[in-house]
Amino acid sequence: MHTNTTVTYNRGVYDFGKPVLRVSDPVLIKQILVKDFHKFRNRIAKPSTSPVLSVTMASARDGQWKRIRAIASPAFTSAKLKHMYPLVNECCRDFLAALHRHVSTSGRIEVELKHLMSDYTIDVIASVAFATKTNPYSDPNNPFITKAKAMLSKNPMQILLIRILPTFAIKSRLWKAMVSDLSSNVMFFIEIVRRLMSERKKSDYRRRRLCGRRCDVWTSRERRRRRTDEGVDELMAEKRALSGVEENKFNENEILAQCYVFFNAGFETTATALSYCTYELAVNPHIQDQLVAETREAFSENTTDIDYETLCRLPLLDAVVSETLRKYPPLINFGREAMDDVVLTRDSDGSMFKIEKGMNVSIPVYALHHDPDYYPDPFAFKPDRFLAQNGRNIKPYTYLPFGAGPRNCIGTRFALLVIKLALVKILKQFRFYAVPDTDIPVIFNVGVGVNQLNAKRLVVGVEKR
Ligand code: HEM
């Protein structure tokens, strides 16, 4: 193994009892995620706390993953997202009404953004994935909300221990004791979906949702349209990765698992992104003003609403969200397991790196996003980096908030819709600003949390416009 450069990989770490090699050279990252996808098709294996969890899209492996991903993917096409738009809009409406109630007494309040935004994203994902309304504002003690928030405030020490314990300890009683509260939260959500599914069967109730039993198989034309922003290598890798799946139905366990994973993978990441974005707008009022000007023009005068196509086309909105995801990627790294011996080759100098079968590799997203060679002045919030005229300055495979390749985040577009719609609607009616309790810059709890940023607090002021 070549070890002469920090550009190619920085340090190794231990994760779930096994060593992990960190690869940070963009060319090698592309090789792992795209060109040699078949050799790195699986995520790093984690000990499962429930049989249902082993069939979630995120943890499934090999042919099972391929089947699950191919069946679920049609639920995330543009056409399907457009169909879900009214549901997300409904959640935005409830969110704004609650914010108006909070602000109404004094005209302004201080808010902890992490709590505020997670109420909204829990409500969205519960509506769309679980086909249920949670009413987080009028019923904050609803078990759905309290359990979801308990998942948010996990004990970082516990998570850290779970991830660094050696393999033999993972089978021990200590391990089982440590994961028992995590497992009970998981079981809670799985039981809710089970109950909803049985109620739905009885009432034949249908709703636009992410987790249906049957999905139409993707046509290749649709797949091409979906990813026109990506190059030939990416399209070919995805085509190869999902080819040959005939079946188009989930069994009951698989539906439970996908509902759970969409909730688990979706609500916290989306709430985090929305929180940091609002924080940056509060501490950069000139950017907030520019964004308000852009979005104001986009609202139709007749309906005071914004349609899906217009929302997707706003350049500054897109740049602000992209810069937020660069500066504060909700997942600061993600990994893959080598399913074969692989030789990674760096084009620039021809140096070769052997990765042995069974070895885990990790992509350090946060480090890439803060490398001054790729993003000058990396700790500054500069949405301009992502405006069309500057797009070519961004080197491929240095911007990875949603991962890349056939196993990238399936919820990317949905998350962007949820974030952008909330932002334009809130900013139309409210102004965010820094208060004495606003930490500038954000203070992070360090050394724990492992793959997520953990801000000590994100407090800002909010008032009606
Ligand atoms: C801002 C919000 C979000 C961010 C930053 C984010 C980020 C990520 C990242 C980095 C990965 C790993 C990608 C890779 O390995 O290449 C991932 C995977 C995944 N995400 Fe997201 N995500 C977000 C929202 C969502 C939402 C809303 C959903 C579902 C509705 C979702 C569902 C998933 C699933 C199921 C996977 C596993 C995909 C697979 O293994 O095939 N995510 N996400």
Side-chain angles (χ1 to χ4, degrees), residues 81-89 306-308 311 417 421:
L81 286 189
K82 227 167 150 176
H83 202 51
M84 285 176 224
Y85 192 76
L87 281 181
V88 183
N89 222 343
I306 183 162
D307 64 76
Y308 177 74
L311 184 75
L417 162 66
L421 190 58

Side-chain angles (χ1 to χ4, degrees), residues 281-300:
L281 294 175
V283 300
N284 293 287
H286 62 291
I287 300 179
Q288 187 175 164
D289 291 345
Q290 288 166 6
L291 191 54
V292 170
E294 179 183 81
T295 55
R296 190 165 285 150
E297 279 173 26
F299 275 90
S300 143

Side-chain angles (χ1 to χ4, degrees), residues 33 43 56-60 65 69 76 125 129 210 258 261-263 265-274 325 329-331 333-336 365 400-412 414-416 418-419:
L33 300 180
R43 295 191 185 287
T56 68
M57 186 188 301
S59 48
W65 168 78
R69 178 101 187 194
F76 294 88
I125 309 243
L210 291 178
Q258 302 338 304
V261 81
F262 292 157
F263 180 68
F267 100 83
E268 186 178 353
T269 44
T270 312
T272 306
L274 203 41
L325 291 167
L331 295 183
N333 57 56
F334 61 87
R336 298 282 190 272
V365 179
L400 297 166
F402 294 104
R407 210 152 181 178
N408 68 352
C409 175
I410 196 169
T412 304
F414 178 68
L416 292 174
V418 173
I419 294 168

Side-chain angles (χ1 to χ4, degrees), residues 55 64 67-68 249-258:
V55 293
Q64 191 173 38
R67 213 184 114 258
I68 291 172
K249 254 187 177 180
F250 284 138
N251 63 36
E252 188 162 322
N253 253 3
E254 287 170 342
I255 299 181
L256 294 176
Q258 302 338 304

Side-chain angles (χ1 to χ4, degrees), residues 176-230:
K176 287 192 181 120
M178 282 198 305
V179 296
S180 68
D181 58 331
L182 300 179
S183 317
S184 79
N185 286 338
V186 172
M187 286 320 294
F188 172 83
F189 287 104
I190 289 175
E191 285 315 314
I192 289 193
V193 190
R194 211 189 290 280
R195 184 167 47 76
L196 287 166
M197 276 169 61
S198 103
E199 282 167 13
R200 209 175 290 138
K201 258 188 222 156
K202 280 185 216 143
S203 66
D204 197 29
Y205 172 70
R206 278 165 203 278
R207 191 165 184 166
R208 295 151 285 203
R209 61 186 196 277
L210 291 178
C211 306
R213 183 182 286 270
R214 180 189 286 276
C215 295
D216 320 322
V217 177
W218 245 356
T219 65
S220 52
R221 219 178 77 230
E222 184 156 21
R223 206 177 289 148
R224 269 202 302 278
R225 262 207 317 269
R226 213 172 57 90
R227 304 278 285 279
T228 42
D229 54 323
E230 292 184 350

